[in-house]
Amino acid sequence: MSGNYDGYKTVAERAEASFTEKKSEFIGYIAPCKTEAEALSFIEEIRKLHRKATHNCYAYILRDNNIGRHSDDGEPSGTAGAPMFEVLKKEGLTDVCCVVTRYFGGVLLGAGGLVRAYTNGVKIAVEAARIKEMKIAERVKISLDYSLYGKMGAVFSEFDVRTEKEEFGTGVEIVLFVEAGKAEEFCERVKDVCFGRVGIERVEVVEYDFGGGLLGR
């Protein structure tokens, strides 16, 4: 991860949503996946769950080897998998797999209707999910006197840090996360504000959801 501070968006956990279009039921499922094996396992799980469904179309995008795949699963070519894939791309999502299950209701939708339906299946699944804004971050530990603690608020706000914990003993110890690309400048700013009377330990580099928390790995 060193030197590469690009962030990415994914879903925090599985989500699903459904709708009916001209008597056909569409169910959109979305899940976080880091590998192609995980994506294929999720697809197979949904297929087993809906063995009697007319179609289980899918699309997935992974950071691992920049993999992207999609399938129409028997629908007319280009009416399901490709539109689903485009929605995931437009949303800027990666490490994600989406399956849209269809139970045919007896009324043909036509090519345009199918594209709209499968596109909607992904959109409502994405809307039902919690999106994670993952960034490469550094966990930093700061030790300082109580007299300097009040100076930290403005610095933390300026660098948009996330505090993990604060401990108050003979002094104050703060553990926080700051975007990796800003870590060097942040540490220098803290030193300046504290006139050098501060202990700073750059503990580790991690993936961190700046909207929610540390990514479990």
Side-chain angles (χ1 to χ4, degrees):
M1 267 188 277
S2 108
N4 182 5
Y5 304 138
D6 292 339
Y8 65 95
K9 289 168 59 179
T10 188
V11 293
E13 62 274 315
R14 294 186 180 192
E16 65 180 86
S18 62
F19 70 99
T20 300
E21 179 68 26
K22 293 184 179 179
K23 299 183 179 180
S24 280
E25 182 184 10
F26 292 86
I27 312 169
Y29 296 90
I30 197 163
C33 299
K34 281 192 167 293
T35 66
E36 190 161 29
E38 289 181 6
L40 294 176
S41 176
F42 175 64
I43 294 164
E44 185 59 28
E45 178 185 333
I46 301 303
R47 280 176 172 164
K48 288 180 179 178
L49 182 64
H50 294 287
R51 290 183 184 278
K52 296 183 179 180
T54 319
H55 307 280
N56 287 290
C57 306
Y58 66 79
Y60 57 87
I61 299 176
L62 309 172
R63 288 184 301 147
D64 184 30
N65 292 322
N66 293 314
I67 293 174
R69 304 272 191 272
H70 55 79
S71 169
D72 295 311
D73 192 35
E75 292 282 27
S77 179
T79 62
M84 292 170 61
F85 187 83
E86 287 304 312
V87 174
L88 296 180
K89 282 178 60 180
K90 185 175 180 180
E91 293 291 336
L93 296 172
T94 189
D95 283 358
V96 66
C97 179
C98 186
V99 180
V100 176
T101 297
R102 180 192 184 189
Y103 284 90
F104 181 56
V107 179
L108 296 175
L109 300 183
L114 288 173
V115 170
R116 287 190 294 272
Y118 281 102
T119 295
N120 190 47
V122 181
K123 285 182 177 178
I124 62 174
V126 171
E127 289 170 359
R130 182 173 72 82
I131 305 301
K132 300 180 78 167
E133 297 274 358
M134 302 307 304
K135 296 179 181 179
I136 306 304
E138 284 196 30
R139 179 187 264 118
V140 179
K141 183 187 293 184
I142 297 175
S143 304
L144 70 166
D145 294 335
Y146 281 92
S147 61
L148 299 169
Y149 177 67
K151 297 178 178 292
M152 291 298 96
V155 180
F156 289 0
S157 177
E158 178 186 351
F159 286 88
D160 193 29
V161 307
R162 299 291 186 273
T163 301
E164 183 178 38
K165 66 177 180 178
E166 294 182 339
E167 295 182 352
F168 302 91
T170 54
V172 182
E173 185 174 278
I174 307 169
V175 179
L176 55 85
F177 294 94
V178 60
E179 288 182 44
K182 301 177 181 178
E184 186 72 35
E185 184 183 357
F186 167 75
C187 292
E188 290 302 317
R189 184 69 57 83
V190 171
K191 290 177 185 176
D192 289 344
V193 168
C194 295
F195 314 108
R197 295 187 287 113
V198 61
I200 300 177
E201 179 185 356
R202 296 167 70 169
V203 181
E204 61 180 336
V205 177
V206 296
E207 288 183 353
Y208 187 85
D209 175 12
F210 275 74
L214 188 64
L215 178 65
R217 291 189 297 167

